[in-house]
Amino acid sequence: AKRDGRAHYQYFSPEMNVEMLERMHLEQRLRRAVKQSEFYLEYQPVIDMRNGAIISVEALIRWNDPEFGVISPQAFIPIAEEAGLIEPLGEWILHQALSDLAELHSQGLMLKMAINVSGRQCINSKDVSFYDILKDALSKHAICAKDLHIEITESMLIEDKPRCLQTLESIKQLGVDIYLDDFGTGYSALSYLTQCPISVIKIDKSFIDNVLNNPSDAKLIKAIVMMAQSLEMPLVAEGIETVEQWQFLHSLGCDYAQGYLMSRPLTKPQLVEFLQQAKPF
Ligand code: C2E
Ligand code: CA
Ligand code: CA
Ligand code: CA
């Protein structure tokens, strides 16, 4: 027992304290940032591989901290989730994205839009459910449900499966398609693909990265494409950076592609310019 006691004391090492302080500091900044709107969205085009058309854009959040500059969502989204800030942040993302989409539509730029939704955002809504928030936002911005889709990850389906499934079913009923993001990196219990109302699968960038120099990654991608085809689920390949990667995925019959080769994430004015001078790939 004494030994256990000692082991516990180790959790309070000086390094840990520094880490906790830094984290608390980041949390405070994040709280302030939510209040002061230090965020903006960028949009990355998704291309139809058959004809090169731009079919949709994925909204990606950026945090411009006055002191630290632009901070990656990979750094602050997990903290926002733990600090209970993902709900106000998620609502801000939804409204900003839909208001930008309405503006694009009013300029004749008829696109669909994807937003990323984290597990806690979908499930932990206290007084108002995520479904209601989504429904109200669509009607407030006069956006048709079929023009919006949400991206979720496998981990989200595992944490609170029954509640999550219920929410996803009702969102799907509303007409908002659900994409499974980062496919292949999580638990990948394949039963989720048919048990959950998933419409489209996104192959994770980590598989695309090495597809040309790692034969086993190439085989995995081939297997994923065949599986998606037999389930009649369209596929998006994300993180396409080279012509060779595009050609490989295209030859397999992958449907859609997203990556720096076609476009980096763009600010709204950059996106408008990109769309206006877009020539098919
Ligand atoms: P994700 O949803 O998998 O988004 C794709 C990420 O890959 C984006 O990074 C995008 O900029 C990057 N990417 C796309 N094509 C390429 C490429 O060809 N090469 C390289 N190197 N990268 C590429 P980003 O914007 O830093 O976002 C990272 C993650 O943060 C996202 O991964 C998502 O999990 C999360 N995230 C971003 N925005 C939001 C948001 O609004 N809400 C939530 N809940 N999560 C978000
Ligand atoms: Ca995503
Ligand atoms: Ca992804
Ligand atoms: Ca990812």
Side-chain angles (χ1 to χ4, degrees):
K2 250 188 182 166
R3 270 184 136 173
D4 285 343
R6 265 226 199 95
H8 281 154
Y9 280 114
Q10 290 190 342
Y11 283 108
F12 299 94
S13 68
E15 295 87 341
M16 276 304 266
N17 283 337
V18 169
E19 222 173 79
M20 273 174 60
L21 273 175
E22 278 174 353
R23 195 168 177 113
M24 277 170 62
H25 194 57
L26 189 57
E27 218 179 285
Q28 274 170 16
R29 300 188 84 92
L30 202 52
R31 282 186 197 282
R32 194 197 58 194
V34 171
K35 280 200 199 106
Q36 299 184 354
S37 303
E38 293 168 7
F39 300 100
Y40 63 97
L41 295 179
E42 288 190 336
Y43 298 101
Q44 189 178 31
V46 178
I47 313 293
D48 186 333
M49 294 191 100
R50 287 160 302 188
N51 58 15
I54 300 159
I55 50 149
S56 64
V57 291
E58 177 179 3
L60 295 159
I61 193 169
R62 304 289 178 249
W63 175 13
N64 196 355
D65 181 279
E67 196 179 321
F68 294 129
V70 178
I71 302 171
S72 158
Q74 251 150 347
F76 69 83
I77 291 285
I79 296 175
E81 288 193 350
E82 280 175 37
L85 292 168
I86 195 70
E87 291 180 37
L89 188 56
E91 252 186 271
W92 179 85
I93 293 166
L94 182 63
H95 282 284
Q96 187 61 50
L98 291 184
S99 115
D100 286 348
L101 185 60
E103 198 181 313
L104 291 168
H105 283 181
S106 76
Q107 295 176 42
L109 302 165
M110 304 316 284
L111 286 173
K112 300 188 182 208
M113 190 173 281
I115 58 167
N116 291 283
V117 174
S118 81
R120 308 228 175 160
Q121 192 185 346
C122 193
I123 284 165
N124 275 8
S125 301
K126 289 148 248 157
D127 24 300
V128 192
S129 76
F130 179 64
Y131 168 83
D132 290 320
I133 291 170
L134 201 59
K135 200 176 166 212
D136 290 349
L138 284 167
S139 81
K140 181 181 169 200
H141 298 282
I143 295 290
C144 190
K146 69 164 177 47
D147 287 334
L148 177 71
H149 52 260
I150 62 169
E151 297 189 2
I152 64 162
T153 57
E154 288 158 331
S155 61
M156 171 170 163
L157 301 173
I158 287 151
E159 277 163 21
D160 190 347
K161 209 174 153 205
R163 278 186 67 189
C164 192
L165 262 184
Q166 214 179 2
T167 305
L168 293 178
E169 288 289 355
S170 53
I171 288 171
K172 169 84 197 188
Q173 290 285 308
L174 196 62
V176 174
D177 276 343
I178 295 153
Y179 285 36
L180 187 59
D181 205 353
D182 300 347
F183 182 75
T185 60
Y187 298 86
S188 283
L190 294 175
S191 57
Y192 290 129
L193 288 177
T194 50
Q195 283 171 15
C196 303
I198 308 286
S199 299
V200 177
I201 297 169
K202 297 187 80 171
I203 310 176
D204 193 67
K205 178 181 177 299
S206 58
F207 296 109
I208 310 292
D209 284 345
N210 298 311
V211 74
L212 294 162
N213 46 37
N214 184 339
S216 56
D217 275 5
K219 281 181 193 157
L220 261 176
I221 290 202
K222 280 186 193 168
I224 292 173
V225 173
M226 280 169 65
M227 180 204 65
Q229 283 170 349
S230 72
L231 292 171
E232 295 178 19
M233 279 184 184
L235 270 178
V236 183
E238 59 176 25
I240 300 229
E241 292 180 349
T242 68
V243 173
E244 290 76 18
Q245 288 169 340
W246 168 286
Q247 285 168 341
F248 180 78
L249 271 304
H250 185 250
S251 72
L252 293 181
C254 182
D255 307 273
Y256 307 112
Q258 192 178 349
Y260 291 178
L261 176 66
M262 293 75 74
S263 174
R264 288 184 174 256
L266 304 168
T267 61
K268 192 176 58 175
Q270 288 171 336
L271 176 66
V272 169
E273 200 180 329
F274 184 84
L275 292 171
Q276 279 163 351
Q277 21 173 273
K279 28 186 186 309
F281 282 87

